[in-house]
């Protein structure tokens, strides 16, 4: 039977200061737990949010007088009158100034600055985007520019008592004070110790997902997957929406919204269907709406009803009751486990039924997520579920389903910000309805831009509603949209090694796969002014295009901020110096994806490879410069530890003479395995010399354009390599690809919807001009603002 066999989670006794009715725990020098109980009853068990309070006791000082208790840590000062919590009696102050310090002292009950404001709490996430067309308010997070945040855990339940859950003692207060200033990395580190690490997701889910609310048959679904393969479009996850089960049932029994019995008319042999998908390298998830309980038409109804004391002949519905151990046990054994034995890999728990249960303080969605996630780890599998967000601590249950997206530009425009901001509470694995699910408009441009964002999202799940006009197969779109979609979907699979490295970083280090710019640049004001761009893994900045193209230039524009250093566009090869804001213009072919100079982006050699296994051929796309990148791999086991992780480290040194020294070295369990190694030198036209471990090589490589998508690179095959000892590659006489500014100007003008005479004036009049001179020349002409901006950006690359 399923049980919450979890240990209590008390703090270390040396960290606790207690008295009549209160308990204050100094978890770290910047994290305090503040409890008040009129009955002196305190909670040491886990809660839906908290799984551990076992922090090493920090240095702190306690001073007591007749009317005041004072606690000082390196970073905080607490003053408390030892009574029931009230604004005049309990306060905590920062001892070190935060970046935005309009105030630095919190009093109990204070209304903190508005979530999302320039100087307020930086926000977290929200339960669902169902019904949201555009922006919506977010719950507070644990990061704030003024340096502190307070999380209230008073109304949750206790987990683990008698191996189940129970309400908390009534009347108590249980707060966590995060006072980390603008050290956001430290705040998230403490948060993940308190609430648990982000699980390591299975590698196979990082490819493309196909999802559509549609009445597929087994043959029809498999034929569609084969059509995708024939078009060179890879998928790694098959999502079967609710029509897999019986939906047209006797109205006396229910609506058919919930179901656990295969529709044998559509899927006559479920085991064969699931096996066929697995043979195609795909994981499979089925959609369920569990809130309606179990109806009499289900195959499992007679046995489950009898077990729960219901006469099967009565055909009385079995109510969904996640608070009942008996129901949960029967629900898993009779409904889910048999389907998993047939080949279902994980469940899409489409819960839309509120947050109230029979146990006070228990959100049934949290309970459902926790039960399914841990139950999915049976038989040595890596656990996974797919469900909505249920509050702080939900990062422990990837993947998150953000709800039914409305198909509008406004919905797309909010999703990058929404996704990145969730990293403020460690919730990094959002999955959206890429392309939109319901309502809205038909727009080829919108769908393409949404798909481009999806490829650079944590999860790329294409989804559509039950509408014959609303689907995401690239073949249904005209050129150039079809080709752009296809290239981006192929790129998603090429990037799986990079994405899985980011997944390890989220798991081991608490660093979001997608995160706001201020996570890595908390002391730079500019990082807070670009909420719609984000960091993607260790080495990329992504600025999705979320608005239609300008009708004059046929280009879309977005204002970005680049941190100090050199950055190179993944698609165009354009080079930018950071430390500034600028406007970038892109055709439908691309979005701005900027790669750090000195980075080595690990990639697959072929997008058709099965992504659930480590690649035998490793492609490293080097952006010339000085820097180090890492690649993480493991053996795919259920719960690999750090000791089970193989690390491949690629370092570049750009020498004053322009030569580049590259070192690639592996450590860990699989380090000794030989790999085929390929270097793609982005933006390099040629090299004069190549040596490997001091031995000259005759091959100088060939310039290629990876999959017709990425900027040209010089491909240098290095053959089989044993990376445990390290491989040193020296590249000499490195020649960068020439940039033809005049050709770039021509392409912009050729696309522009303006008078031919104006095109001639710009093109012929500007030849030979550059920099300030070019900008001053444009000032002599009457040009649309958008066109002028695109031209200036193009010439600035020269």
């Amino acid at each position: 039977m399923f049980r919450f066999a979890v240990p209590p989670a008390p703090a270390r006794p040396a960290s606790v200061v207690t008295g009549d009715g209160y308990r204050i725990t100094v978890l770290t020098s910047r994290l305090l737990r503040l409890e008040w109980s009129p009955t002196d009853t305190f909670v040491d068990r886990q809660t839906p949010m908290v799984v551990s309070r076992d922090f090493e006791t920090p240095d702190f000082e306690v001073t007591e007088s007749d009317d005041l208790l004072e606690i000082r840590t390196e970073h905080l000062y607490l003053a408390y009158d030892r009574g029931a919590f009230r604004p005049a009696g309990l306060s905590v102050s920062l001892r070190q100034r935060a970046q935005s310090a309009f105030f630095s002292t919190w009093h109990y009950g204070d209304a903190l600055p508005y979530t999302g404001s320039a100087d307020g709490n930086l926000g977290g996430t929200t339960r669902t985007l169902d019904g949201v067309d555009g922006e919506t308010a977010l719950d507070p997070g644990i990061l704030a520019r003024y340096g502190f945040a307070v999380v209230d855990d008073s109304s949750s339940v206790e987990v683990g008592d008698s191996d189940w859950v129970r309400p908390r003692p009534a009347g108590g207060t249980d707060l966590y004070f995060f006072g980390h200033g603008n050290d956001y990395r430290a705040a998230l580190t403490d948060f993940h110790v308190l609430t648990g690490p982000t699980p390591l997701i299975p590698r196979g889910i990082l490819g493309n997902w196909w999802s559509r609310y549609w009445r597929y048959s087994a043959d029809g679904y498999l034929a569609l997957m084969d059509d995708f393969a024939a078009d060179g479009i890879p998928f790694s996850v098959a999502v079967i929406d609710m029509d897999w089960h019986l939906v047209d049932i006797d109205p006396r029994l229910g609506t058919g919204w919930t179901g656990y019995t295969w529709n044998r008319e559509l899927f006559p042999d479920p085991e064969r269907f699931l096996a066929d998908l697995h043979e195609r390298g795909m994981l499979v998830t089925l959609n369920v709406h569990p809130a309606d309980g179990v109806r009499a038409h289900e195959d499992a109804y007679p046995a489950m009803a009898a077990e729960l004391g219901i006469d099967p002949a009565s055909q009385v519905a079995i109510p969904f009751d996640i608070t009942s151990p008996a129901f949960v046990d029967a629900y898993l054994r009779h409904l889910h486990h048999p389907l998993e034995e047939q080949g279902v890999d994980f469940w899409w728990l489409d819960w839309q039924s509120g947050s109230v249960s029979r146990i006070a303080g228990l959100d049934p969605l949290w309970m459902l997520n926790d039960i399914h996630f841990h139950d999915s780890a049976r038989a040595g599998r890596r656990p996974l579920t797919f469900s909505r967000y249920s509050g702080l601590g939900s990062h422990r249950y990837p993947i998150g389903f953000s709800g039914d997206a409305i198909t509008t530009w406004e919905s797309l425009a909010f999703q990058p910000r929404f996704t990145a901001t969730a990293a403020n509470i460690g919730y990094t694995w959002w999955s959206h309805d890429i392309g939109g699910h319901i309502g809205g408009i038909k727009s080829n441009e919108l769908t393409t831009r949404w798909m481009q964002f999806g490829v650079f999202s944590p999860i790329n799940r294409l989804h559509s509603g039950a509408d014959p006009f609303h689907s995401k197969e690239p073949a249904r779109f005209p050129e150039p949209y079809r080709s752009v979609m296809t290239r981006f979907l192929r790129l998603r699979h090429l990037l799986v090694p990079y994405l899985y490295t980011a997944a390890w970083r989220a798991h081991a280090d608490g660093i979001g796969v997608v995160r706001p710019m201020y996570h890595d640049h908390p002391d730079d004001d500019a990082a807070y002014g670009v909420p719609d761009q984000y960091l993607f893994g260790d080495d990329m900045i992504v600025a999705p295009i979320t608005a239609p193209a300008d009708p004059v230039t046929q280009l879309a524009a977005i204002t970005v901020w680049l941190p100090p250093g050199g950055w190179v566009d993944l698609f165009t090869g354009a080079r930018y110096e950071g430390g500034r804001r600028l406007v970038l213009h892109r055709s439908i072919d691309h979005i701005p994806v900027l790669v750090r100079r000195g980075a080595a982006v690990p990639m697959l050699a072929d997008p058709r490879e099965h992504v659930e296994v480590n690649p035998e051929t490793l492609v490293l796309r080097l952006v010339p410069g000085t820097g180090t990148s890492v690649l993480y791999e493991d053996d795919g086991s259920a719960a690999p530890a750090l000791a089970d992780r193989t690390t491949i480290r690629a370092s570049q040194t750009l020498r004053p003479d322009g030569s580049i020294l590259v070192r690639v070295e592996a450590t860990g369990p699989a380090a000794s395995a030989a790999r085929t190694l390929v270097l793609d030198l982005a933006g390099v036209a040629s090299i004069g010399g190549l040596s490997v471990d001091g031995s000259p090589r005759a091959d100088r490589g060939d310039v290629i354009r990876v999959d017709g998508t990425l900027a040209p690179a010089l491909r240098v095959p290095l053959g089989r390599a044993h990376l445990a000892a390290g491989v040193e590659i020296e590249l000499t006489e490195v020649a960068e690809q020439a940039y033809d500014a005049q050709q770039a100007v021509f392409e912009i003008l050729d696309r522009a919807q303006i008078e031919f005479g104006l095109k001639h004036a710009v093109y012929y009049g500007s030849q030979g001009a550059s920099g300030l001179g070019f900008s001053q020349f444009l000032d002599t002409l009457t040009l649309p603002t958008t066109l002028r901006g695109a031209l200036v950006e193009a010439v600035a690359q020269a």
Side-chain angles (χ1 to χ4, degrees), residues 117-142:
S117 67
D119 294 298
N121 186 289
L122 293 168
T125 194
T126 192
R127 191 178 184 100
T128 182
L129 296 180
D130 284 340
V132 175
D133 187 7
E135 190 169 354
T136 191
L138 302 178
D139 299 334
I142 64 163

Side-chain angles (χ1 to χ4, degrees), residues 180-450:
H180 294 75
N182 300 129
D183 190 347
Y184 303 144
R185 186 67 57 85
L188 287 163
T189 296
D190 285 353
F191 178 78
H192 282 102
V193 174
L194 182 72
T195 62
T198 298
L200 185 63
I201 47 85
R203 184 186 181 102
I205 70 166
L206 293 172
N208 300 309
W209 297 29
W210 178 257
S211 175
R212 189 184 183 193
Y213 178 23
W214 194 250
R215 190 176 169 84
Y216 286 112
S217 67
D219 289 344
Y221 198 96
L222 293 171
L224 177 62
M225 297 304 105
D226 291 341
D227 287 344
F228 284 140
D231 289 341
I233 302 174
F235 285 90
S236 67
V237 177
V239 183
I240 318 297
D241 213 320
M242 57 181 286
D243 282 292
W244 71 269
H245 63 71
L246 294 173
V247 295
D248 297 322
I249 64 173
D250 188 332
R252 294 182 304 105
L253 302 179
T255 64
W257 192 248
T258 288
Y260 301 94
T261 303
W262 284 98
N263 183 335
R264 297 282 176 160
E265 179 184 342
L266 299 176
F267 300 92
D269 188 347
E271 292 91 342
R272 183 67 260 167
F273 170 67
L274 296 172
D276 285 342
L277 289 171
H278 289 155
E279 289 170 6
R280 288 164 170 79
M282 301 182 77
L283 298 171
V284 185
T285 182
L286 302 185
N287 174 280
V288 289
H289 297 85
D292 279 357
V294 185
R295 307 300 173 126
H297 70 284
E298 304 284 5
D299 289 346
Y301 176 81
M304 188 170 176
E307 183 172 320
L308 295 176
I310 297 172
D311 180 4
S314 70
Q315 295 192 335
V316 171
I318 302 171
F320 179 83
D321 185 4
I322 200 70
T323 67
S324 164
F327 173 83
V328 168
D329 183 56
Y331 164 83
L332 293 173
R333 284 191 297 104
H334 292 289
L335 301 178
H336 289 272
H337 293 176
L339 291 164
E340 291 168 15
E341 290 169 4
Q342 290 179 349
V344 176
D345 295 294
F346 63 103
W347 295 95
W348 178 5
L349 305 172
D350 206 347
W351 179 265
Q352 299 167 305
S353 305
S355 57
V356 178
S357 71
R358 293 174 56 217
I359 296 178
L362 175 65
D363 184 340
L365 177 58
W366 171 81
M367 188 87 156
L368 194 69
N369 291 348
D370 189 273
I371 287 170
H372 270 281
F373 183 80
H374 289 103
D375 184 69
S376 71
R378 298 180 349 274
R381 296 185 300 178
R382 192 172 294 185
L384 186 69
T385 193
F386 179 34
S387 184
R388 284 174 170 80
Y389 171 81
S390 60
L392 293 176
S394 291
H395 64 277
R396 300 194 304 271
Y397 315 116
I399 301 297
F401 167 48
S402 65
D404 297 337
I406 299 174
T407 313
T408 62
W409 284 102
E410 289 78 12
S411 289
L412 170 59
F414 184 56
Q415 283 190 3
R417 178 183 311 193
F418 176 78
T419 307
T421 305
N424 292 345
I425 52 169
Y427 199 76
T428 198
W429 288 115
W430 268 126
S431 169
H432 306 304
D433 289 348
I434 296 300
H437 171 59
I438 54 175
I441 61 170
K442 166 71 174 182
S443 167
N444 298 333
E445 183 185 11
L446 170 61
T447 305
T448 304
R449 290 304 193 191
W450 216 322

